[in-house]
Amino acid sequence: MNPFTRCSECCIKCLSGIPYASLIATILLYAGVALFCGCGHEALSGTVTILQNYFEMIRTVETLDVFTMIDILKYVIYGVAAAFFVYGILLMVEGFFTTGAIRDLYGDFKITTCGRCVSAWFIMLTYIFMLAWLGVTAFTSLPVFMYFNIWNICQNMTVAEGTNVCFDLRQFGIVTPSDEKKICTNTEMFKKMCASDELDLTFHLFVCALAGAGAAVIAMVHYLMVLAANWAYVKDACRMQKYEDIKSKEEQELHDIHSTRSKERLNAYT
């Protein structure tokens, strides 16, 4: 056989075993998580800068303030990035396992009950993660809405000239009701904040983080469809395997009965 032909057949065989649906979902998941974690981390850092420079907030060690909450959210982002990196690998392995099980149904590969249980477990876990990412998407939309209001006023300063609009952090639950931390449009501090790059950059970073969370939700939905289809395929393949085993057993029994009768007839004749 031509070496080129043999190499081509080997490549085609390898490519046929790749779970492309799981691969697309994994790429989308990694892209969404990377966008959410990277942009979210930098947006939180920008928020700290804005609060300190323009709202004149000071970090306190004794109480659980907004800066401590932001630090906690950053650590949560680190955990999310690591956890979903591992989870994407596990789902890819499950996709390869299911694809191999279906492809090698009539070979030496045996589909076990454990494999079906693992697929069902991944379906339940992915559904929970999808709901979690929906919550993360809703939570991420809050700072986007807040920053959009401020950014929109900054972009229309000439229209809003003559009016005095104040942004009070107590309205967003960032500070306690006893602390008065607000900034108004007729102050120099507000104009300085609008002229700076922190507001525009932080707003767009939160928008990118929201897009990343939405991409992760789409990836979870894609995974659910893939896992449900794989579980159904494996279940049908298992039934087909049992049918083939029963059919082969019956044929063997019929062959044994026929052989026994042939031997009895031969003995009776002799």
Short mmCIF file of all heavy atoms in Angstrom, two decimals, residues 165-213:
data_model
loop_
_atom_site.label_atom_id
_atom_site.label_comp_id
_atom_site.label_asym_id
_atom_site.label_seq_id
_atom_site.Cartn_x
_atom_site.Cartn_y
_atom_site.Cartn_z
N VAL A 165 -27.40 66.36 38.71
CA VAL A 165 -27.73 64.96 39.02
C VAL A 165 -26.62 64.40 39.90
O VAL A 165 -25.43 64.56 39.58
CB VAL A 165 -27.86 64.12 37.73
CG1 VAL A 165 -28.20 62.68 38.06
CG2 VAL A 165 -28.93 64.73 36.82
N CYS A 166 -27.03 63.78 40.99
CA CYS A 166 -26.07 63.22 41.94
C CYS A 166 -26.16 61.70 41.94
O CYS A 166 -27.26 61.13 41.86
CB CYS A 166 -26.31 63.76 43.35
SG CYS A 166 -26.04 65.54 43.50
N PHE A 167 -25.01 61.05 42.04
CA PHE A 167 -24.92 59.60 42.15
C PHE A 167 -24.50 59.27 43.58
O PHE A 167 -23.37 59.54 43.98
CB PHE A 167 -23.92 59.03 41.15
CG PHE A 167 -24.33 59.20 39.73
CD1 PHE A 167 -23.91 60.29 38.98
CD2 PHE A 167 -25.17 58.27 39.12
CE1 PHE A 167 -24.30 60.45 37.67
CE2 PHE A 167 -25.56 58.43 37.81
CZ PHE A 167 -25.13 59.53 37.08
N ASP A 168 -25.43 58.69 44.30
CA ASP A 168 -25.19 58.35 45.70
C ASP A 168 -24.93 56.85 45.79
O ASP A 168 -25.76 56.03 45.35
CB ASP A 168 -26.40 58.72 46.56
CG ASP A 168 -26.06 58.75 48.05
OD1 ASP A 168 -25.04 58.13 48.44
OD2 ASP A 168 -26.81 59.37 48.82
N LEU A 169 -23.79 56.49 46.34
CA LEU A 169 -23.43 55.07 46.44
C LEU A 169 -24.35 54.31 47.38
O LEU A 169 -24.42 53.07 47.31
CB LEU A 169 -21.98 54.93 46.91
CG LEU A 169 -20.92 55.48 45.95
CD1 LEU A 169 -19.52 55.24 46.52
CD2 LEU A 169 -21.03 54.85 44.57
N ARG A 170 -25.06 55.01 48.23
CA ARG A 170 -26.01 54.33 49.13
C ARG A 170 -27.18 53.73 48.35
O ARG A 170 -27.81 52.78 48.82
CB ARG A 170 -26.52 55.31 50.18
CG ARG A 170 -25.45 55.76 51.17
CD ARG A 170 -25.98 56.78 52.15
NE ARG A 170 -26.36 58.02 51.48
CZ ARG A 170 -26.83 59.11 52.11
NH1 ARG A 170 -26.96 59.08 53.44
NH2 ARG A 170 -27.15 60.18 51.44
N GLN A 171 -27.48 54.29 47.19
CA GLN A 171 -28.57 53.75 46.37
C GLN A 171 -28.24 52.37 45.82
O GLN A 171 -29.14 51.58 45.54
CB GLN A 171 -28.87 54.70 45.21
CG GLN A 171 -29.34 56.07 45.65
CD GLN A 171 -29.52 57.01 44.47
OE1 GLN A 171 -29.07 56.72 43.36
NE2 GLN A 171 -30.17 58.14 44.71
N PHE A 172 -26.96 52.07 45.67
CA PHE A 172 -26.53 50.79 45.12
C PHE A 172 -26.06 49.81 46.19
O PHE A 172 -25.58 48.72 45.85
CB PHE A 172 -25.40 51.02 44.11
CG PHE A 172 -25.77 51.98 43.01
CD1 PHE A 172 -25.37 53.30 43.07
CD2 PHE A 172 -26.53 51.56 41.94
CE1 PHE A 172 -25.70 54.19 42.06
CE2 PHE A 172 -26.87 52.45 40.92
CZ PHE A 172 -26.46 53.77 40.98
N GLY A 173 -26.17 50.18 47.43
CA GLY A 173 -25.77 49.29 48.52
C GLY A 173 -24.27 49.13 48.66
O GLY A 173 -23.82 48.17 49.30
N ILE A 174 -23.51 50.05 48.08
CA ILE A 174 -22.05 49.94 48.15
C ILE A 174 -21.54 50.38 49.51
O ILE A 174 -20.57 49.83 50.05
CB ILE A 174 -21.40 50.75 47.02
CG1 ILE A 174 -21.83 50.17 45.66
CG2 ILE A 174 -19.88 50.75 47.14
CD1 ILE A 174 -21.31 50.93 44.47
N VAL A 175 -22.19 51.38 50.10
CA VAL A 175 -21.81 51.87 51.43
C VAL A 175 -23.02 51.77 52.34
O VAL A 175 -24.16 51.59 51.90
CB VAL A 175 -21.31 53.33 51.36
CG1 VAL A 175 -20.04 53.42 50.54
CG2 VAL A 175 -22.38 54.25 50.78
N THR A 176 -22.79 51.91 53.62
CA THR A 176 -23.86 51.85 54.61
C THR A 176 -24.71 53.13 54.54
O THR A 176 -24.24 54.18 54.08
CB THR A 176 -23.28 51.69 56.02
OG1 THR A 176 -22.40 52.79 56.29
CG2 THR A 176 -22.50 50.39 56.12
N PRO A 177 -25.97 53.06 54.98
CA PRO A 177 -26.82 54.27 54.92
C PRO A 177 -26.27 55.45 55.71
O PRO A 177 -26.61 56.60 55.42
CB PRO A 177 -28.14 53.78 55.52
CG PRO A 177 -28.15 52.30 55.27
CD PRO A 177 -26.72 51.88 55.39
N SER A 178 -25.43 55.20 56.70
CA SER A 178 -24.88 56.30 57.49
C SER A 178 -23.78 57.07 56.77
O SER A 178 -23.50 58.22 57.11
CB SER A 178 -24.34 55.77 58.83
OG SER A 178 -23.33 54.81 58.60
N ASP A 179 -23.16 56.43 55.76
CA ASP A 179 -22.09 57.09 55.01
C ASP A 179 -22.67 57.78 53.77
O ASP A 179 -23.44 57.18 53.02
CB ASP A 179 -21.03 56.07 54.57
CG ASP A 179 -20.31 55.46 55.75
OD1 ASP A 179 -20.22 56.14 56.79
OD2 ASP A 179 -19.85 54.30 55.63
N GLU A 180 -22.29 59.01 53.61
CA GLU A 180 -22.76 59.77 52.46
C GLU A 180 -21.60 59.92 51.47
O GLU A 180 -20.70 60.74 51.66
CB GLU A 180 -23.27 61.15 52.87
CG GLU A 180 -23.87 61.94 51.71
CD GLU A 180 -24.43 63.28 52.14
OE1 GLU A 180 -24.46 63.53 53.36
OE2 GLU A 180 -24.83 64.06 51.27
N LYS A 181 -21.64 59.10 50.43
CA LYS A 181 -20.62 59.12 49.39
C LYS A 181 -21.33 59.33 48.06
O LYS A 181 -21.94 58.42 47.50
CB LYS A 181 -19.83 57.81 49.37
CG LYS A 181 -19.05 57.52 50.63
CD LYS A 181 -17.91 58.50 50.82
CE LYS A 181 -17.09 58.17 52.06
NZ LYS A 181 -15.98 59.14 52.27
N LYS A 182 -21.31 60.56 47.60
CA LYS A 182 -21.98 60.87 46.34
C LYS A 182 -21.16 61.88 45.56
O LYS A 182 -20.30 62.58 46.10
CB LYS A 182 -23.39 61.40 46.58
CG LYS A 182 -23.45 62.72 47.32
CD LYS A 182 -24.90 63.15 47.51
CE LYS A 182 -24.98 64.50 48.24
NZ LYS A 182 -26.38 64.93 48.44
N ILE A 183 -21.45 61.94 44.27
CA ILE A 183 -20.78 62.86 43.38
C ILE A 183 -21.84 63.44 42.43
O ILE A 183 -22.71 62.71 41.94
CB ILE A 183 -19.65 62.17 42.60
CG1 ILE A 183 -18.87 63.16 41.77
CG2 ILE A 183 -20.18 61.04 41.74
CD1 ILE A 183 -17.61 62.57 41.15
N CYS A 184 -21.80 64.74 42.22
CA CYS A 184 -22.82 65.44 41.42
C CYS A 184 -22.20 65.95 40.13
O CYS A 184 -20.99 66.18 40.02
CB CYS A 184 -23.43 66.59 42.22
SG CYS A 184 -24.25 66.05 43.75
N THR A 185 -23.07 66.17 39.15
CA THR A 185 -22.60 66.55 37.81
C THR A 185 -22.06 67.97 37.74
O THR A 185 -21.33 68.30 36.81
CB THR A 185 -23.75 66.39 36.81
OG1 THR A 185 -24.88 67.18 37.24
CG2 THR A 185 -24.17 64.94 36.69
N ASN A 186 -22.43 68.82 38.71
CA ASN A 186 -21.96 70.20 38.66
C ASN A 186 -20.64 70.42 39.40
O ASN A 186 -20.20 71.55 39.57
CB ASN A 186 -23.03 71.15 39.23
CG ASN A 186 -23.37 70.83 40.69
OD1 ASN A 186 -22.89 69.83 41.23
ND2 ASN A 186 -24.19 71.67 41.30
N THR A 187 -20.01 69.33 39.85
CA THR A 187 -18.75 69.45 40.58
C THR A 187 -17.58 69.20 39.64
O THR A 187 -17.70 68.53 38.60
CB THR A 187 -18.71 68.43 41.74
OG1 THR A 187 -18.83 67.11 41.21
CG2 THR A 187 -19.86 68.67 42.72
N GLU A 188 -16.44 69.70 40.04
CA GLU A 188 -15.23 69.51 39.25
C GLU A 188 -14.75 68.05 39.30
O GLU A 188 -14.15 67.56 38.35
CB GLU A 188 -14.13 70.44 39.76
CG GLU A 188 -14.37 71.91 39.47
CD GLU A 188 -14.39 72.21 37.98
OE1 GLU A 188 -13.67 71.51 37.24
OE2 GLU A 188 -15.12 73.12 37.57
N MET A 189 -15.06 67.37 40.42
CA MET A 189 -14.65 65.98 40.54
C MET A 189 -15.35 65.10 39.51
O MET A 189 -14.75 64.19 38.93
CB MET A 189 -14.93 65.48 41.95
CG MET A 189 -14.32 64.12 42.26
SD MET A 189 -12.52 64.13 42.22
CE MET A 189 -12.18 65.08 43.72
N PHE A 190 -16.62 65.38 39.26
CA PHE A 190 -17.37 64.61 38.26
C PHE A 190 -16.81 64.85 36.86
O PHE A 190 -16.66 63.93 36.06
CB PHE A 190 -18.85 64.97 38.32
CG PHE A 190 -19.70 64.15 37.40
CD1 PHE A 190 -20.15 62.90 37.77
CD2 PHE A 190 -20.04 64.63 36.14
CE1 PHE A 190 -20.93 62.13 36.92
CE2 PHE A 190 -20.82 63.88 35.28
CZ PHE A 190 -21.27 62.63 35.67
N LYS A 191 -16.52 66.12 36.56
CA LYS A 191 -15.93 66.43 35.25
C LYS A 191 -14.56 65.79 35.09
O LYS A 191 -14.20 65.33 33.99
CB LYS A 191 -15.85 67.94 35.09
CG LYS A 191 -17.21 68.63 35.07
CD LYS A 191 -17.06 70.14 34.98
CE LYS A 191 -18.43 70.82 35.00
NZ LYS A 191 -18.33 72.30 34.92
N LYS A 192 -13.81 65.76 36.18
CA LYS A 192 -12.49 65.12 36.13
C LYS A 192 -12.62 63.62 35.89
O LYS A 192 -11.83 63.02 35.14
CB LYS A 192 -11.75 65.40 37.43
CG LYS A 192 -10.34 64.87 37.47
CD LYS A 192 -9.67 65.20 38.79
CE LYS A 192 -8.26 64.62 38.85
NZ LYS A 192 -7.61 64.92 40.17
N MET A 193 -13.62 63.01 36.51
CA MET A 193 -13.85 61.57 36.32
C MET A 193 -14.27 61.28 34.88
O MET A 193 -13.83 60.29 34.28
CB MET A 193 -14.92 61.07 37.29
CG MET A 193 -15.20 59.58 37.18
SD MET A 193 -16.47 59.02 38.34
CE MET A 193 -17.91 59.88 37.71
N CYS A 194 -15.11 62.14 34.31
CA CYS A 194 -15.54 61.94 32.92
C CYS A 194 -14.37 62.11 31.95
O CYS A 194 -14.33 61.45 30.90
CB CYS A 194 -16.65 62.92 32.58
SG CYS A 194 -18.22 62.59 33.43
N ALA A 195 -13.45 63.00 32.27
CA ALA A 195 -12.31 63.23 31.39
C ALA A 195 -11.24 62.16 31.51
O ALA A 195 -10.37 62.05 30.64
CB ALA A 195 -11.70 64.61 31.68
N SER A 196 -11.29 61.37 32.57
CA SER A 196 -10.26 60.34 32.78
C SER A 196 -10.57 59.10 31.95
O SER A 196 -11.66 58.94 31.39
CB SER A 196 -10.18 59.97 34.26
OG SER A 196 -11.39 59.37 34.68
N ASP A 197 -9.59 58.21 31.88
CA ASP A 197 -9.75 56.96 31.14
C ASP A 197 -10.32 55.83 31.99
O ASP A 197 -10.75 54.81 31.44
CB ASP A 197 -8.40 56.51 30.56
CG ASP A 197 -7.87 57.49 29.53
OD1 ASP A 197 -8.69 58.17 28.88
OD2 ASP A 197 -6.64 57.58 29.37
N GLU A 198 -10.31 55.98 33.32
CA GLU A 198 -10.75 54.88 34.18
C GLU A 198 -12.22 54.54 33.99
O GLU A 198 -12.59 53.36 33.91
CB GLU A 198 -10.51 55.22 35.66
CG GLU A 198 -9.06 55.18 36.09
CD GLU A 198 -8.38 56.52 35.89
OE1 GLU A 198 -9.04 57.44 35.33
OE2 GLU A 198 -7.21 56.67 36.28
N LEU A 199 -13.07 55.57 33.86
CA LEU A 199 -14.50 55.32 33.73
C LEU A 199 -14.82 54.61 32.43
O LEU A 199 -15.53 53.60 32.42
CB LEU A 199 -15.26 56.65 33.82
CG LEU A 199 -16.78 56.52 33.67
CD1 LEU A 199 -17.37 55.74 34.83
CD2 LEU A 199 -17.42 57.91 33.58
N ASP A 200 -14.30 55.12 31.32
CA ASP A 200 -14.58 54.52 30.01
C ASP A 200 -14.04 53.10 29.93
O ASP A 200 -14.72 52.19 29.45
CB ASP A 200 -13.97 55.39 28.92
CG ASP A 200 -14.36 54.92 27.53
OD1 ASP A 200 -15.52 55.12 27.13
OD2 ASP A 200 -13.48 54.33 26.85
N LEU A 201 -12.83 52.89 30.42
CA LEU A 201 -12.22 51.56 30.36
C LEU A 201 -12.95 50.56 31.26
O LEU A 201 -13.22 49.43 30.85
CB LEU A 201 -10.74 51.65 30.77
CG LEU A 201 -9.94 50.34 30.75
CD1 LEU A 201 -9.93 49.74 29.36
CD2 LEU A 201 -8.53 50.57 31.26
N THR A 202 -13.29 51.00 32.48
CA THR A 202 -13.97 50.10 33.41
C THR A 202 -15.35 49.71 32.88
O THR A 202 -15.76 48.55 32.98
CB THR A 202 -14.10 50.76 34.79
OG1 THR A 202 -12.80 51.12 35.26
CG2 THR A 202 -14.74 49.81 35.78
N PHE A 203 -16.06 50.67 32.31
CA PHE A 203 -17.38 50.38 31.75
C PHE A 203 -17.31 49.35 30.64
O PHE A 203 -18.06 48.37 30.63
CB PHE A 203 -18.02 51.68 31.24
CG PHE A 203 -19.24 51.46 30.39
CD1 PHE A 203 -20.36 50.84 30.92
CD2 PHE A 203 -19.26 51.86 29.07
CE1 PHE A 203 -21.50 50.64 30.13
CE2 PHE A 203 -20.37 51.66 28.28
CZ PHE A 203 -21.50 51.05 28.81
N HIS A 204 -16.39 49.52 29.72
CA HIS A 204 -16.27 48.58 28.61
C HIS A 204 -15.73 47.22 29.06
O HIS A 204 -16.07 46.18 28.47
CB HIS A 204 -15.39 49.17 27.51
CG HIS A 204 -16.05 50.29 26.76
ND1 HIS A 204 -15.94 51.61 27.13
CD2 HIS A 204 -16.86 50.28 25.65
CE1 HIS A 204 -16.63 52.37 26.29
NE2 HIS A 204 -17.19 51.60 25.38
N LEU A 205 -14.92 47.21 30.10
CA LEU A 205 -14.47 45.93 30.65
C LEU A 205 -15.63 45.16 31.26
O LEU A 205 -15.72 43.93 31.11
CB LEU A 205 -13.38 46.17 31.70
CG LEU A 205 -11.99 46.53 31.17
CD1 LEU A 205 -11.05 46.88 32.31
CD2 LEU A 205 -11.40 45.37 30.36
N PHE A 206 -16.53 45.85 31.95
CA PHE A 206 -17.70 45.18 32.50
C PHE A 206 -18.62 44.67 31.40
O PHE A 206 -19.24 43.60 31.53
CB PHE A 206 -18.48 46.13 33.43
CG PHE A 206 -18.04 46.07 34.86
CD1 PHE A 206 -17.54 47.20 35.49
CD2 PHE A 206 -18.13 44.88 35.59
CE1 PHE A 206 -17.13 47.15 36.81
CE2 PHE A 206 -17.72 44.83 36.92
CZ PHE A 206 -17.22 45.96 37.53
N VAL A 207 -18.71 45.42 30.30
CA VAL A 207 -19.50 44.95 29.15
C VAL A 207 -18.89 43.67 28.57
O VAL A 207 -19.61 42.71 28.24
CB VAL A 207 -19.59 46.06 28.08
CG1 VAL A 207 -20.22 45.52 26.80
CG2 VAL A 207 -20.38 47.24 28.60
N CYS A 208 -17.57 43.63 28.46
CA CYS A 208 -16.90 42.42 27.96
C CYS A 208 -17.08 41.25 28.92
O CYS A 208 -17.26 40.10 28.49
CB CYS A 208 -15.41 42.70 27.73
SG CYS A 208 -15.06 43.84 26.38
N ALA A 209 -17.03 41.54 30.22
CA ALA A 209 -17.26 40.48 31.21
C ALA A 209 -18.68 39.94 31.11
O ALA A 209 -18.91 38.73 31.22
CB ALA A 209 -17.01 41.02 32.62
N LEU A 210 -19.65 40.83 30.86
CA LEU A 210 -21.04 40.39 30.66
C LEU A 210 -21.16 39.53 29.41
O LEU A 210 -21.86 38.50 29.43
CB LEU A 210 -21.95 41.61 30.57
CG LEU A 210 -23.44 41.34 30.34
CD1 LEU A 210 -24.03 40.55 31.50
CD2 LEU A 210 -24.20 42.64 30.16
N ALA A 211 -20.46 39.91 28.36
CA ALA A 211 -20.48 39.09 27.13
C ALA A 211 -19.84 37.73 27.37
O ALA A 211 -20.31 36.70 26.86
CB ALA A 211 -19.75 39.83 26.01
N GLY A 212 -18.77 37.70 28.17
CA GLY A 212 -18.15 36.42 28.50
C GLY A 212 -19.06 35.52 29.30
O GLY A 212 -19.13 34.30 29.05
N ALA A 213 -19.79 36.10 30.25
CA ALA A 213 -20.75 35.30 31.03
C ALA A 213 -21.86 34.76 30.13
O ALA A 213 -22.29 33.61 30.27
CB ALA A 213 -21.33 36.14 32.17
#
